[in-house]
C-alpha cells in the first residue's frame, strides 16, 4: 500500500513566503494570547491545594460550592473531572492557615451533610516550591534548546542548527499559545509533553536536514531550492507515516488515558501536528534564508599529517 | 551474498530478548494484599510470632495465602482487600502498641524468579497510592544553633585564659565580644583565632571583636543539618512500617519522603511532623522560681514548665543537646524504679563528663523542644516557627557522667518508655516544615494503571494494524520489533533499581510506541526508494538499512539529549517521563535496527528474491 506516491518533485518551497507569513502571524497571535490571557498555571506552579473527590452518585457542584463557602473557602474552584461523579476542587494558597490541613478541612466540610465522599487525591504545594518550578521549567527548556543547538551545529552545520532550533521555538510558542488561548491547565505533565514535543519535532527536523545534506552532496547541478524540494519530497511519506502512527497512539491516550493525562495528550497531539509542519517548512526555509549552499555541506578535505612531506624512505 | 546474519549478532539478539523477557515476567504476576508486621517501640519480631499470627487469623476465620518471615518482619499475604483490612485490625489489637502493623502490597513473584533477582517495576505513588512529602530544613535555625555553641565556647575559653570580657552577644549571623581594653582584645583575638580555625575574627568597633563562620563552615553546617535530619526522618518512617519508603535529599535544603501504600496519612504526618529536639540543662537552685515568676528572672536562667504545668527555673546554659545521643532504652533499676539508659557519642560523652564533674548532687532537667509552624510567613516568604519548650524530667546527678548514663526520677514505666522513644528517634538539628504534600488514594492509583494499560493496548493495536496493512510482510517484522521493544522496556525498567513507573512514565511508553516505528518507517521507505531506483531486492535491503542508519542515529541522539536534560533538571513526574523516554529511545533503536535486520536477513537474505513484499 502506498499513501503518497509522488513521482514528481513537489515544489514545497514555492509556499515558502506564505508559510513564513502564516507562522509569523501564529507566533504573534500566541505571544499576544500569552501576554493577555497568560497561562492557566496548574497547582505545581502556583502553589495551593488541590483535592479530587469521588461521589457515589452524580455530584451537585452548586451544593458543593455552598458547603465550601460555608466552611470559609469562598475562593474554591469546583469543577467536574472526567466523570460527573468526580469533582476537582482547587484552593489558592492562603495566609495564616496551616496549608497542609486544608485538605482535611475540605473533606470534613463535604462530609458534614453525610454524603458519601471518597478522597482520591490531595495535593498541597507551597507557593515557594511553585516559584522555583516555574524557574526550573523555563531553565530546562532553555538548556535543552541550547544543547540541541550545539549538537546539531557540530553534526551538521550552523545554518541547519539555527533552522531546527527556530522550528523548535516555533512549535513550543504555538503550543503554549494554544494552551493560553483555550485556558487549558498547564501543569507538570504538560511541561513534560512540551519537552517531548521538542524531542519529536527535532527528530523530524533532523531527518529532513539529514536528507538535504545528503542530496547536496549527491546532486551535482541543482539550485539549493531544488535540492530542498527534492529532499522534502523524498522524506514526505516517512514524515506523514510517522506522524500518523504517533497521532493514532496519542488519540488512544487522549480517549483512554483518563482525565489526569488529558493536558499531556492535548499538548502532544497539537505539538506533533505543528512539529510535522515546521519540519517541512520552518527549518528548511530558515536554512535557505541564511544562505545554505552546496559548499557548506561538502565535507572538507582532511589533510593527512605529513602529506606534503617527502617520504623518508 | 548480501544480507547474511553473523552468528554472534543472532546470539546477541536472542540473549537480550530472552533476558529482558525473563526480567519483565515478574510484572504479570501482580500483587498480593498484605499486612506487614515490624518492630515498634520495644517489640521484637521473631519467628515464634508467626505461629501467634497464624492462630489469631485462624480464630477469626481468615485464611492467609502465605506468611513470610524475613528481615525481622512478618509479611502476611491475603487473598483480598477485605481480608487485609480485617487482618490488620485484628493483629493491631492482638499485638499491642509494641509492633507496627501496616497494610501493604507485596509482589507475588514466584520463588524461582525471585531467586534470579526478578522484581516487578517499582510503581510511582500516582499508580499505587500513597503519600509524598517535600520537607524544608530551616537553615537559619541550624546556623543560629551553631552560633550559640560558639558563643558558649568563647565564654568558657576566655574565662579559662583569664581574659576579661564585658559581654558576648549573639547577633543574626555573628557573635560580638565586647572588651574593656584594646590590649585584652588583641590577646583574645590571637588566642581565639588559633583555637577556632573555621571562624573568622575581625575588629569591628572599638573594643568589639566579631566572630563569624567561614563560607566553608556554613556549607558544612547546612549539609550536616540535612544529613542528620534525613537519618532521623528515616528512623521515624521505620516506625510506620512502610514497605519501601524513600527518604532522599533534594536540592540544598530539602528532603523528599515517599510512603507508598500508606493510607493513614494523618498518622504519617503526625510522626514526621514531630520536629523535636532535646536539651539537658541544670536546674537553677540559687534562685527562687516564685521570684522568677514575679518577673525577676535571673540573667542566666529561664522558666520552663513541665508536663504537669509546674514551672521550673533552669539555667540557660545547655549541658548537652540531643544530637549526641546514640541510643536510649527504658528499664527499671534493682528497686523497680523506672529509668532510661542513654548512650552518647564520644564528643557528647566528653562534654557530659566535663559539665557534670562540678555538679554532682544537683538536679538536671531534660527539656523537650518542639518547633511548630504558625502557618504565617515572614517578609522573605519563609515560614515562621514557634518554639515550644517543656521539661520532661528532672533527675539528680549522682556521679560524674560519661558516655553512658541513666535518667531516673520518672513517674512511671510508661513515661520512661516514651522518653526513651523520643531520645532514640533522635533530635532534629533544625526544624523542618512540609512544603509540599501529595496524597493519592489507592483507588485512584488502580484506576490510573487500568486507564494507562488501556491506552497502551489501544494505541498499540492501532499501530500494529496500520503497519501490517501499509508494509505487509515487512510490517509484520516491524510489529514484532515493536512488541519486543515493549517487553524490553518493561524488562529494563524492572532491572534498573532506581527506575519507577509513573503515570507520565506510562505516557512516555505510549509515546515510544508511536515513535518507535519511526526508525522502521525510515528504513522501509529507503528500501522502497531503492527499489524504485531499480535496485535488486537484496541491494535495496542492504542500501536501505545502511543509509537510514546515520539518520536514525542523529535523530535519536538529539531526542536523547532532550531526555537527559529533563532527567537532570526535572523532578517527580518529569523524571519519570524522561526515564521511560530515554530507555524507549535506546531500546527502540536496538529493536528497529538490529532485531528487524536479523529477521529480515533470516527471511529474505542470502537467496535469490524476485520481489519484496513491502
Amino acid at each position: 500500500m502506498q499513501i503518497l506516491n509522488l513521482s514528481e518533485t513537489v515544489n514545497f518551497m514555492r509556499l515558502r513566503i506564505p508559510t513564513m507569513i502564516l507562522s509569523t502571524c501564529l507566533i504573534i497571535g500566541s505571544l499576544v494570547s500569552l501576554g493577555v490571557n497568560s497561562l492557566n498555571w496548574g497547582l505545581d506552579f502556583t502553589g495551593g491545594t488541590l483535592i479530587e473527590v469521588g461521589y457515589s452518585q452524580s455530584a451537585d457542584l452548586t451544593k458543593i460550592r455552598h458547603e465550601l463557602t460555608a466552611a470559609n473557602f469562598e475562593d474554591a474552584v469546583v469543577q467536574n473531572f472526567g466523570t460527573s461523579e468526580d469533582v476537582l476542587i482547587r484552593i489558592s494558597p492562603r495566609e495564616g492557615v496551616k496549608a497542609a490541613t486544608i485538605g482535611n478541612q475540605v473533606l470534613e466540610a463535604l462530609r458534614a451533610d453525610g454524603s458519601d465522599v471518597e478522597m482520591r487525591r490531595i495535593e498541597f504545594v507551597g507557593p515557594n516550591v511553585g516559584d522555583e518550578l516555574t524557574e526550573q521549567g523555563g531553565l530546562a527548556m532553555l538548556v535543552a534548546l541550547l544543547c540541541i543547538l550545539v549538537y546539531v551545529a557540530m553534526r551538521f552545520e550552523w545554518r541547519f542548527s539555527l533552522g531546527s532550533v527556530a522550528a523548535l521555538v516555533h512549535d513550543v510558542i504555538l503550543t503554549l499559545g494554544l494552551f493560553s488561548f483555550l485556558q487549558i491547565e498547564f501543569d507538570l505533565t504538560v511541561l513534560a509533553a512540551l519537552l517531548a514535543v521538542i524531542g519529536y519535532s527535532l527528530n523530524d527536523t533532523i531527518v529532513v536536514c539529514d536528507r538535504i545534506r545528503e542530496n547536496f552532496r549527491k546532486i551535482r547541478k541543482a539550485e539549493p531550492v531544488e535540492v530542498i524540494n527534492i529532499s522534502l519530497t523524498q522524506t514526505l511519506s516517512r514524515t506523514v507515516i510517522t506522524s500518523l502512527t504517533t497521532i493514532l497512539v496519542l488519540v488512544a491516550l487522549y480517549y483512554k488515558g483518563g482525565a489526569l493525562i488529558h493536558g499531556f495528550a492535548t499538548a502532544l497531539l497539537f505539538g506533533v501536528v505543528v512539529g510535522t509542519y515546521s519540519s517541512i517548512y520552518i527549518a528548511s526555509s530558515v536554512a535557505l534564508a541564511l544562505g545554505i549552499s552546496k559548499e557548506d555541506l561538502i565535507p572538507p578535505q582532511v589533510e593527512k599529517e605529513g602529506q606534503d612531506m617527502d617520504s623518508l624512505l | 551474498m548480501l544480507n547474511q546474519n553473523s552468528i554472534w549478532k543472532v546470539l546477541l539478539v536472542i540473549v537480550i530478548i530472552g533476558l529482558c523477557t525473563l526480567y519483565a515476567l515478574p510484572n504479570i504476576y501482580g500483587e498480593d494484599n498484605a499486612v506487614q508486621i515490624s518492630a515498634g517501640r520495644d517489640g521484637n519480631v521473631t519467628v515464634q510470632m508467626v505461629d501467634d499470627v497464624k492462630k489469631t487469623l485462624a480464630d477469626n476465620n481468615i485464611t492467609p495465602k502465605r506468611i513470610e518471615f524475613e528481615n525481622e518482619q512478618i509479611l502476611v499475604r491475603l487473598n483480598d482487600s477485605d481480608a487485609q483490612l480485617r487482618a490488620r485490625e485484628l493483629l493491631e489489637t492482638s499485638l499491642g502498641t509494641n509492633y507496627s502493623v501496616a497494610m501493604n502490597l507485596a509482589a507475588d513473584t514466584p520463588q524461582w524468579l525471585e531467586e534470579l533477582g526478578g522484581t516487578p517495576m517499582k510503581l510511582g505513588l500516582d499508580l499505587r497510592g500513597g503519600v509524598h512529602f517535600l520537607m524544608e530544613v530551616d537553615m537559619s535555625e541550624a546556623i543560629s544553633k551553631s552560633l550559640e555553641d560558639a558563643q558558649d565556647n568563647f565564654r568558657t575559653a576566655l574565662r579559662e585564659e583569664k581574659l576579661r570580657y564585658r559581654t558576648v552577644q549573639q547577633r543574626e549571623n555573628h557573635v560580638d565580644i565586647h572588651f574593656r581594653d584594646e590590649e585584652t582584645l588583641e590577646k583574645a583575638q590571637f588566642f581565639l583565632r588559633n583555637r577556632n580555625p573555621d571562624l573568622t575574627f575581625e575588629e569591628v568597633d572599638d573594643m568589639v571583636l566579631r566572630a563569624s563562620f567561614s563560607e566553608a563552615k556554613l556549607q558544612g553546617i547546612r549539609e550536616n543539618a540535612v544529613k542528620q535530619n534525613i537519618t532521623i526522618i528515616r528512623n521515624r518512617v521505620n516506625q510506620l512500617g512502610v514497605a519501601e519508603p524513600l527518604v532522599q535529599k533534594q536540592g540544598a535544603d530539602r528532603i523528599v519522603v515517599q510512603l507508598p501504600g500508606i493510607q493513614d496519612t494523618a498518622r504519617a504526618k503526625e510522626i514526621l511532623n514531630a520536629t523535636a529536639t532535646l536539651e539537658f540543662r541544670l536546674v537553677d537552685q540559687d534562685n527562687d522560681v516564685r521570684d522568677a515568676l514575679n518577673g525577676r528572672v535571673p540573667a542566666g536562667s529561664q522558666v520552663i514548665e513541665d508536663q504537669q504545668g509546674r514551672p521550673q527555673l533552669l539555667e540557660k546554659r545547655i549541658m548537652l543537646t540531643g544530637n549526641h545521643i546514640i541510643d536510649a532504652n527504658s528499664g527499671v533499676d534493682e528497686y523497680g524504679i523506672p529509668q532510661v539508659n542513654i548512650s552518647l557519642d564520644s564528643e557528647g560523652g566528653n562534654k557530659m563528663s566535663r559539665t557534670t564533674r562540678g555538679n554532682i548532687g544537683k538536679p538536671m532537667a531534660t527539656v523537650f523542644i518542639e518547633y511548630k509552624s504558625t502557618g504565617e510567613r515572614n517578609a522573605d516568604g519563609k515560614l515562621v516557627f514557634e518554639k515550644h519548650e517543656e521539661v520532661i524530667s528532672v533527675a539528680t546527678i549522682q556521679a560524674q557522667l560519661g558516655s553512658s548514663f541513666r535518667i531516673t526520677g520518672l513517674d512511671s514505666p510508661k513515661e520512661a518508655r516514651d522518653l526513651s522513644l523520643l531520645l532514640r528517634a533522635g533530635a532534629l538539628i533544625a526544624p523542618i516544615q512540609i512544603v509540599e504534600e501529595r496524597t493519592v488514594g489507592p483507588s485512584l492509583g488502580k484506576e490510573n494503571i487500568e486507564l494507562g494499560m488501556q491506552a497502551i493496548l489501544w494505541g498499540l493495536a492501532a499501530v500494529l494494524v496500520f503497519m501490517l496493512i501499509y508494509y505487509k510482510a515487512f510490517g509484520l517484522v516491524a510489529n514484532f520489533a515493536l512488541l519486543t521493544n515493549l517487553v524490553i522496556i518493561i524488562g529494563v525498567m524492572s532491572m534498573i533499581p532506581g527506575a519507577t513507573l509513573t503515570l507520565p512514565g506510562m505516557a512516555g511508553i505510549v509515546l515510544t510506541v508511536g515513535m518507535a516505528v519511526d526508525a522502521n518507517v525510515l528504513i522501509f521507505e529507503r528500501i522502497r526508494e531503492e527499489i524504485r531506483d531499480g535496485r535488486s531486492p537484496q541491494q535495496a535491503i542492504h542500501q536501505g538499512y545502511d543509509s537510514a542508519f546515520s539518520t536514525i542515529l542523529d535523530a535519536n541522539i538529539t531526542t536523547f539529549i532532550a531526555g537527559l536534560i529533563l532527567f537532570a533538571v526535572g523532578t517527580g513526574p518529569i523524571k519519570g517521563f524522561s526515564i521511560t523516554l530515554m530507555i524507549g529511545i535506546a531500546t527502540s533503536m536496538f529493536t528497529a535496527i538490529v532485531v528487524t535486520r536479523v529477521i529480515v536477513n533470516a527471511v529474505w537474505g542470502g537467496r535469490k528474491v524476485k520481489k519484496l513484499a513491502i
Side-chain angles (χ1 to χ4, degrees):
Chain A
M1 199 180 108
Q2 192 87 343
I3 292 179
L4 296 156
N5 201 351
L6 303 168
S7 45
E8 269 170 50
T9 302
V10 184
N11 191 357
F12 284 102
M13 287 296 106
R14 199 182 43 161
L15 292 176
R16 189 160 94 234
I17 309 294
T19 50
M20 271 296 185
I21 294 171
L22 176 73
S23 285
T24 314
C25 289
L26 287 175
I27 287 179
I28 292 172
S30 298
L31 290 177
V32 167
S33 173
L34 282 167
V36 176
N37 298 333
S38 164
L39 279 170
N40 178 13
W41 293 104
L43 175 82
D44 302 308
F45 296 99
T46 59
T49 311
L50 180 145
I51 302 137
E52 194 191 325
V53 290
Y55 279 81
S56 46
Q57 301 120 24
S58 267
D60 181 352
L61 295 187
T62 336
K63 203 178 119 221
I64 295 173
R65 280 191 197 107
H66 277 303
E67 282 169 351
L68 288 175
T69 311
N72 281 324
F73 294 110
E74 296 89 354
D75 61 335
V77 179
V78 182
Q79 64 196 73
N80 276 117
F81 190 66
T83 66
S84 63
E85 288 99 37
D86 294 333
V87 179
L88 194 71
I89 299 162
R90 265 181 74 175
I91 294 158
S92 48
R94 46 184 58 212
E95 295 279 318
V97 182
K98 202 173 169 187
T101 58
I102 286 180
N104 296 334
Q105 286 174 7
V106 169
L107 271 185
E108 267 168 41
L110 296 180
R111 278 176 184 153
D113 64 342
S115 19
D116 185 12
V117 188
E118 187 202 4
M119 190 284 291
R120 294 166 66 75
R121 170 165 70 116
I122 294 180
E123 294 183 7
F124 149 67
V125 180
N128 41 343
V129 181
D131 286 347
E132 228 169 85
L133 259 176
T134 319
E135 265 170 47
Q136 245 183 24
L139 190 74
M141 204 94 81
L142 280 179
V143 174
L145 286 176
L146 205 74
C147 288
I148 287 158
L149 192 77
V150 171
Y151 179 79
V152 180
M154 266 168 34
R155 281 286 293 159
F156 291 83
E157 215 263 343
W158 66 271
R159 290 179 183 86
F160 278 132
S161 175
L162 281 182
S164 42
V165 169
L168 291 188
V169 173
H170 170 264
D171 300 347
V172 170
I173 290 179
L174 254 51
T175 314
L176 284 175
L178 179 85
F179 270 73
S180 149
F181 187 71
L182 298 179
Q183 285 293 298
I184 305 171
E185 197 177 305
F186 190 91
D187 58 15
L188 267 184
T189 58
V190 176
L191 179 71
L194 207 61
L195 289 151
V197 167
I198 292 186
Y200 183 86
S201 160
L202 191 69
N203 196 50
D204 245 15
T205 312
I206 296 288
V207 169
V208 173
C209 290
D210 191 70
R211 189 56 80 99
I212 295 175
R213 177 174 62 176
E214 188 187 318
N215 283 336
F216 262 122
R217 289 175 186 168
K218 213 158 69 184
I219 306 169
R220 291 278 157 206
K221 278 181 197 158
E223 286 299 304
V225 176
E226 237 173 291
V227 173
I228 290 177
N229 277 333
I230 292 169
S231 313
L232 286 173
T233 311
Q234 284 172 342
T235 49
L236 185 68
S237 68
R238 172 263 156 199
T239 307
V240 170
I241 289 160
T242 302
S243 303
L244 205 71
T245 53
T246 311
I247 288 172
L248 275 180
V249 170
L250 287 174
V251 168
L253 194 63
Y254 186 88
Y255 284 106
K256 296 283 171 191
L260 269 182
I261 215 86
H262 259 181
F264 180 89
T266 312
L268 264 171
L269 264 174
F270 184 73
V272 167
V273 174
V274 177
T276 307
Y277 156 80
S278 76
S279 69
I280 296 176
Y281 278 105
I282 306 296
S284 37
S285 302
V286 169
L288 204 59
L290 289 171
I292 191 89
S293 71
K294 189 179 174 66
E295 287 70 38
D296 301 325
L297 292 162
I298 301 290
Q301 286 281 314
V302 184
E303 279 189 30
K304 279 198 188 127
E305 206 181 19
Q307 192 176 286
D308 52 351
M309 279 176 23
D310 290 330
S311 170
L312 289 173
L313 292 171
Chain B
M1 277 298 234
L2 270 173
N3 302 325
Q4 271 177 322
N5 284 325
S6 57
I7 303 224
W8 68 265
K9 214 171 181 181
V10 178
L11 277 178
L12 180 82
V13 167
I14 291 174
V15 167
I16 288 182
I17 294 178
L19 263 178
C20 287
T21 313
L22 185 70
Y23 282 98
L25 262 183
N27 294 292
I28 60 170
Y29 288 100
E31 285 174 320
D32 281 335
N33 291 301
V35 170
Q36 179 184 285
I37 303 161
S38 47
R41 314 189 166 192
D42 296 311
N44 226 339
V45 177
T46 54
V47 191
Q48 285 77 36
M49 270 179 65
V50 175
D51 293 327
D52 296 344
V53 170
K54 252 184 209 153
K55 194 173 169 308
T56 311
L57 294 177
D59 287 349
N60 291 282
N61 294 324
I62 300 174
T63 331
K65 207 168 154 188
R66 214 155 73 209
I67 298 182
E68 289 161 16
F69 175 81
E70 205 181 319
N71 295 332
E72 293 181 17
Q73 284 185 340
I74 294 175
L75 195 68
V76 186
R77 293 172 183 270
L78 297 139
N79 291 313
D80 54 69
S81 57
D82 278 350
Q84 181 194 24
L85 265 170
R86 274 179 57 220
R88 184 183 94 132
E89 269 163 35
L90 283 168
L91 291 170
E92 207 160 42
T93 40
S94 78
L95 291 170
T97 51
N98 286 342
Y99 301 92
S100 69
V101 182
M103 294 212 279
N104 189 354
L105 289 171
D108 190 18
T109 310
Q111 202 75 35
W112 62 271
L113 254 176
E114 227 169 89
E115 270 161 29
L116 288 171
T119 48
M121 276 184 279
K122 280 199 187 65
L123 297 181
L125 292 185
D126 49 357
L127 294 183
R128 74 185 303 183
V131 210
H132 159 109
F133 295 112
L134 182 65
M135 298 172 163
E136 197 169 71
V137 181
D138 185 351
M139 285 303 166
S140 59
E141 189 63 36
I143 290 165
S144 142
K145 253 186 161 173
S146 303
L147 277 174
E148 251 167 60
D149 258 1
Q151 182 187 327
D152 284 346
N153 270 334
F154 295 157
R155 285 209 184 100
T156 332
L158 291 173
R159 222 176 287 143
E160 274 172 16
E161 270 315 283
K162 302 214 165 50
L163 293 164
R164 288 169 64 86
Y165 60 88
R166 193 177 271 160
T167 51
V168 178
Q169 278 173 328
Q170 183 202 339
R171 299 263 179 256
E172 211 172 310
N173 4 313
H174 52 256
V175 177
D176 282 347
I177 313 169
H178 299 255
F179 291 92
R180 281 175 216 282
D181 55 75
E182 196 70 34
E183 197 189 336
T184 328
L185 186 149
E186 289 305 325
K187 271 189 201 160
Q189 183 170 5
F190 180 75
F191 168 69
L192 289 175
R193 217 184 267 272
N194 278 337
R195 250 179 96 125
N196 302 287
D198 48 7
L199 286 169
T200 52
F201 293 91
E202 54 173 343
E203 222 183 307
V204 278
D205 249 332
D206 262 3
M207 284 169 260
V208 178
L209 185 64
R210 177 168 292 176
S212 40
F213 288 123
S214 63
E215 201 38 57
K217 171 76 176 173
L218 284 176
Q219 190 61 30
I221 293 172
R222 290 194 198 104
E223 269 167 28
N224 202 31
V226 174
K227 221 159 84 188
Q228 192 152 354
N229 277 337
I230 285 182
T231 318
I232 289 154
I233 291 172
R234 222 170 251 151
N235 283 339
R236 289 181 180 169
V237 167
N238 285 342
Q239 289 181 36
L240 281 169
V242 186
E244 287 162 7
L246 174 102
V247 182
Q248 219 169 45
K249 185 181 167 185
Q250 188 181 89
D253 56 359
R254 296 218 171 121
I255 300 167
V256 180
V257 179
Q258 289 196 343
L259 311 171
I262 278 285
Q263 283 143 35
D264 191 355
T265 58
R267 190 163 157 235
K269 223 179 334 184
E270 208 173 277
I271 291 188
L272 293 172
N273 242 344
T275 48
T277 163
L278 286 165
E279 282 169 8
F280 296 102
R281 298 199 208 172
L282 281 176
V283 175
D284 182 358
Q285 290 180 302
D286 303 338
N287 297 289
D288 194 53
V289 186
R290 270 161 299 176
D291 284 350
L293 283 176
N294 289 330
R296 284 190 296 270
V297 184
S301 299
Q302 185 188 4
V303 177
I304 300 175
E305 290 187 348
D306 65 13
Q307 282 166 303
Q308 281 77 39
R310 287 180 308 229
Q312 302 277 355
L313 189 62
L314 306 184
E315 286 188 12
K316 268 189 181 166
R317 200 163 60 92
I318 300 158
M319 296 169 73
L320 191 75
T321 62
N323 305 338
H324 297 291
I325 295 170
I326 299 171
D327 195 20
N329 49 65
S330 64
V332 287
D333 66 5
E334 54 268 42
Y335 306 109
I337 298 166
Q339 62 176 25
V340 175
N341 299 305
I342 295 174
S343 312
L344 301 175
D345 59 14
S346 63
E347 196 190 335
N350 288 337
K351 245 186 182 166
M352 200 64 177
S353 87
R354 247 197 338 265
T355 47
T356 51
R357 195 192 306 150
N359 294 307
I360 294 167
K362 287 185 186 166
M364 176 181 79
T366 309
V367 184
F368 177 67
I369 301 151
E370 203 178 359
Y371 289 90
K372 285 179 176 166
S373 164
T374 55
E376 284 162 28
R377 289 171 185 279
N378 64 12
D380 303 334
K382 295 269 179 198
L383 282 158
V384 178
F385 290 93
E386 218 169 48
K387 197 174 185 181
H388 169 80
E389 292 170 306
E390 191 177 71
V391 174
I392 48 175
S393 92
V394 176
T396 309
I397 300 169
Q398 308 282 5
Q400 184 179 350
L401 303 178
S403 59
S404 83
F405 62 96
R406 58 191 187 191
I407 295 180
T408 52
L410 298 149
D411 289 340
S412 66
K414 187 189 170 299
E415 206 184 307
R417 256 202 314 275
D418 286 350
L419 176 59
S420 71
L421 173 74
L422 279 171
L423 293 171
R424 239 201 340 262
L428 289 172
I429 195 163
I432 47 170
Q433 173 63 32
I434 295 178
V435 287
E436 187 185 287
E437 180 194 328
R438 293 169 196 269
T439 310
V440 177
S443 59
L444 182 62
K446 213 173 250 170
E447 196 177 290
N448 283 344
I449 292 187
E450 274 163 25
L451 292 173
M453 285 308 288
Q454 267 184 31
I456 290 181
L457 290 179
W458 278 98
L460 191 66
V463 173
L464 292 181
V465 170
F466 177 83
M467 290 298 280
L468 193 63
I469 295 175
Y470 199 73
Y471 289 117
K472 300 183 202 93
F474 274 77
L476 203 63
V477 176
N479 285 347
F480 176 77
L482 192 58
L483 292 173
T484 318
N485 188 20
L486 264 186
V487 173
I488 294 181
I489 290 180
I490 294 170
V492 171
M493 290 280 292
S494 310
M495 274 188 265
I496 298 179
T500 309
L501 186 69
T502 58
L503 192 59
M506 278 186 123
I509 293 181
V510 177
L511 187 66
T512 315
V513 169
M515 282 170 63
V517 294
D518 181 54
N520 279 131
V521 172
L522 270 167
I523 296 167
F524 295 169
E525 286 300 314
R526 273 285 183 162
I527 295 179
R528 280 183 171 183
E529 266 178 59
E530 299 293 335
I531 290 175
R532 267 203 298 274
D533 286 352
R535 298 201 191 231
S536 75
Q538 295 297 358
Q539 282 282 344
I541 290 172
H542 186 75
Q543 209 48 58
Y545 270 94
D546 256 16
S547 39
F549 182 72
S550 80
T551 317
I552 295 170
L553 203 64
D554 274 327
N556 280 298
I557 284 178
T558 34
T559 315
F560 197 83
I561 292 177
L564 212 58
I565 292 158
L566 281 196
F567 185 75
V569 298
T571 52
I574 296 203
K575 258 204 164 84
F577 172 75
S578 63
I579 286 185
T580 47
L581 186 70
M582 284 190 290
I583 294 176
I585 289 170
T587 58
S588 69
M589 273 176 69
F590 171 73
T591 51
I593 300 171
V594 184
V595 175
T596 61
R597 186 72 196 266
V598 166
I599 300 172
V600 167
N601 282 0
V603 177
W604 287 280
R607 62 187 171 94
K608 279 232 176 319
V609 180
K610 280 207 185 97
K611 202 168 174 287
L612 285 179
I614 189 166

